[in-house]
Amino acid sequence: MQAGELAVDFPAITADSSAVAAVRKLVSERLPGLIVVEDGKPVTALPAYQVARFLVPLYMRVDPALARVVAERHADQLCARLVGKQVRDLLPEGRWEPLVVRAGETVMQVAELMERAHSPLVAVVGEDGTLLGAITLFELLDATLRELSDSRG
């Protein structure tokens, strides 16, 4: 099975897109992440967990016990940190790894990239590098489970 067979239509955004709009799309469509493109070509992915990482202040990531002392009214304002931010602000600084496979690559190549990049989402591109679609971890696992079932009868 090849990546092109597993690819599905998937929303793409730019690094200049509004962070609030991107998170709304993640939530409304229950996506594991979004593909970030420039000129129609994927440059990275924004996994949903990266949004949570942005929302939690660095001092709480260093000392998780501090999260217990934040007043609930402040905790309820977590997404306020997104206002005025762009998608580029949510991405890890200086670590934009292109999470891309060509349509002809194998399921194992897709799985290896997902594991190495710690991402549940990879973009699938055509020969010219433009976005054809994406593969989520769920699609990958579903397809390989079907193959397992088919091979066992």
Side-chain angles (χ1 to χ4, degrees), residues 52-71 74-75 77-78 81:
R53 184 173 173 81
F54 174 83
L55 296 176
V56 176
L58 178 60
Y59 65 87
M60 284 186 196
R61 283 186 270 145
V62 171
D63 185 357
L66 294 174
R68 283 178 263 182
V69 299
V70 174
H74 295 298
Q77 300 290 317
L78 208 56
R81 294 192 68 200

Side-chain angles (χ1 to χ4, degrees), residues 58 95 114:
L58 178 60
R95 287 190 23 218
M114 285 179 169

Side-chain angles (χ1 to χ4, degrees), residues 9-28:
D9 284 336
F10 210 83
I13 56 172
T14 67
D16 296 327
S17 298
S18 156
V20 172
V23 172
R24 280 195 176 118
K25 184 172 281 296
L26 281 171
V27 171
S28 68

Side-chain angles (χ1 to χ4, degrees), residues 40-130:
K41 297 180 180 177
V43 292
T44 193
L46 172 64
Y49 79 85
Q50 187 63 39
V51 174
R53 184 173 173 81
F54 174 83
L55 296 176
V56 176
L58 178 60
Y59 65 87
M60 284 186 196
R61 283 186 270 145
V62 171
D63 185 357
L66 294 174
R68 283 178 263 182
V69 299
V70 174
E72 191 165 335
R73 65 182 158 79
H74 295 298
D76 291 345
Q77 300 290 317
L78 208 56
C79 283
R81 294 192 68 200
L82 296 171
V83 174
K85 300 292 184 191
Q86 296 176 311
V87 167
R88 73 175 62 258
D89 299 318
L90 306 180
L91 297 168
E93 192 172 317
R95 287 190 23 218
W96 289 20
E97 181 178 349
L99 303 174
V100 174
V101 293
R102 300 254 179 224
E105 292 187 42
T106 67
V107 169
M108 188 57 75
Q109 289 171 298
V110 173
E112 186 280 327
L113 178 57
M114 285 179 169
E115 188 283 324
R116 180 170 30 94
H118 304 283
S119 178
L121 175 67
V122 297
V124 179
V125 297
E127 290 302 316
D128 62 353
T130 58

